[in-house]
Amino acid sequence: MAKRRFKTLLLCVAMQGLSCAPALAVEGGLGRPISGTGVQPDAGVVSPSPMVAVNFAEIYFDGSIGGSKSVPIAGKTSLGLDGEIAFTLATILKTWDTGTGNWNFASSFTLPYIWTKVSATLGTDRRSATTSQNASNLFDISFTPLIAGYHFSKTEHIAFSVNVWAPTGRYDPNALANPSLNNWTFIPQVAYTKILPAYDLEFDVVAGVQFYTRNTATNYQNAPLFTLDVMGLKRFSNGLGVGLIVGTVQQLGNDSGPTADQLNGFRGHDIALGPIVTYDTKLDGKHPLSFSARWVPTVTSTNRLNSTATFMATATLIF
């Protein structure tokens, strides 16, 4: 039971700080989070048993900001923006042997790869031109030194962590598409899980605040972002599960810097809503293996990329 309940904690750690933006409200119109991708089943559960979990995740995002909006990117302003992203993450998480008490601990590391295409209209209303650029490479790495989980009971759990994104990807301040945001990001996060075994129902919440350092290449300072993803999930005896996810990103204050000041701080927010399907089984009858797929289109958005094509698929194996 402990292994089954632990199977996707590493996804919540990696995904809540997920950046699927090329350099894309914050600079580029997206920042690191994508609403609806940060919550997973068993989000607040840290296993009391020492183990290693490996996860692979694929996210596709195709969004835009209309031409009536000016968007900061590459140290300039664009009249609207289109961003298409395919993002692959490999995450490994280890729980430490800390006994079977109320507190348990783990650590994780994520290696991401990104392909992205960005189209922007640069210039003025009278003299402007649309240009597109592609980029693909390793993205900024992410790690979580310590995840602390507390068990209120066998059916109620909470986990605390601080995720770190390091600017290890290649960055060109003059490019539209970049495999890096060129800043450090620190994300205090809390995840909560409530299980109702009598009804095979589960309720998961993941909330965090993202703090960005200044992009020294463009002198752009992203304001902190508050993220909240909530999921309700119904499980079935054949291993299937179906649920609904709602997520939001709310910017806490205005961006700053020469470009942001021209756009009155470029403050933004969005809401996404969509279904998720999960499946749990075992590899060789002993190693828990889980899959999930979701579609979380944007419901409403201001100064952030709006997407009706936001898809995410995951696979997790526990040893």
Side-chain angles (χ1 to χ4, degrees):
M1 177 62 71
K3 285 191 176 184
R4 188 183 78 81
R5 282 297 170 199
F6 167 72
K7 63 185 179 299
T8 49
L9 169 69
L10 76 168
L11 280 173
C12 295
V13 172
M15 298 304 170
Q16 185 67 17
L18 176 63
S19 173
C20 291
L24 304 177
V26 294
E27 187 174 15
L30 193 61
R32 294 205 183 274
I34 289 182
S35 294
T37 62
V39 66
Q40 299 291 332
D42 310 317
V45 185
V46 176
S47 171
S49 303
M51 62 186 68
V52 174
V54 178
N55 167 265
F56 293 95
E58 184 70 27
I59 296 179
Y60 176 79
F61 178 94
D62 189 356
S64 64
I65 295 179
S68 61
K69 290 283 187 178
S70 296
V71 184
I73 188 168
K76 309 177 183 68
T77 57
S78 167
L79 301 176
L81 192 73
D82 295 305
E84 183 181 1
I85 303 143
F87 202 68
T88 304
L89 300 102
T91 300
I92 184 168
L93 181 145
K94 179 177 175 57
T95 56
W96 305 104
D97 189 358
T98 51
T100 57
N102 292 90
W103 286 97
N104 296 110
F105 303 93
S107 304
S108 76
F109 175 84
T110 298
L111 183 66
Y113 187 90
I114 190 171
W115 173 90
T116 182
K117 178 181 179 181
V118 178
S119 299
T121 301
L122 302 176
T124 64
D125 290 334
R126 293 184 178 181
R127 301 187 63 180
S128 62
T130 300
T131 182
S132 295
Q133 291 182 1
N134 294 353
S136 58
N137 212 317
L138 290 174
F139 195 70
D140 297 339
I141 62 169
S142 172
F143 57 93
T144 306
L146 186 66
I147 307 159
Y150 183 81
H151 311 286
F152 297 106
S153 67
K154 291 183 179 180
T155 60
E156 190 174 12
H157 313 266
I158 195 167
F160 305 92
S161 61
V162 177
N163 313 331
V164 180
W165 287 83
T168 56
R170 188 178 61 193
Y171 185 81
D172 180 353
N174 298 312
L176 298 178
N178 268 302
S180 174
L181 291 192
N182 197 42
N183 58 41
W184 288 83
T185 309
F186 303 91
I187 309 172
Q189 177 179 291
V190 59
Y192 173 81
T193 294
K194 175 65 176 179
I195 302 162
L196 303 173
Y199 305 98
D200 291 321
L201 292 175
E202 180 181 322
F203 180 71
D204 295 282
V205 181
V206 179
V209 179
Q210 305 199 355
F211 297 95
Y212 297 78
T213 62
R214 184 176 296 273
N215 182 344
T216 55
T218 61
N219 198 25
Y220 197 100
Q221 175 65 64
N222 295 329
L225 299 179
F226 171 74
T227 63
L228 177 67
D229 287 346
V230 179
M231 179 178 65
L233 184 68
K234 167 68 175 179
R235 299 184 185 272
F236 299 93
S237 58
N238 61 1
L240 284 174
V242 294
L244 185 68
I245 295 172
V246 60
T248 185
V249 174
Q250 301 287 329
Q251 186 166 327
L252 307 177
N254 294 336
D255 295 342
S256 61
T259 306
D261 293 343
Q262 295 176 24
L263 302 177
N264 298 317
F266 199 63
R267 189 167 182 169
H269 57 82
D270 65 17
I271 298 175
L273 175 70
I276 182 173
V277 178
T278 67
Y279 179 70
D280 298 314
T281 185
K282 286 190 176 183
L283 187 65
D284 295 331
K286 57 182 179 179
H287 296 297
L289 177 63
S290 65
F291 302 92
S292 74
R294 72 184 66 186
W295 172 52
V296 280
T298 305
V299 175
T300 181
S301 177
T302 298
N303 286 342
R304 288 181 60 80
L305 292 176
N306 189 316
S307 171
T308 59
T310 304
F311 302 96
M312 177 177 174
T314 68
T316 306
L317 179 63
I318 293 178
F319 298 94

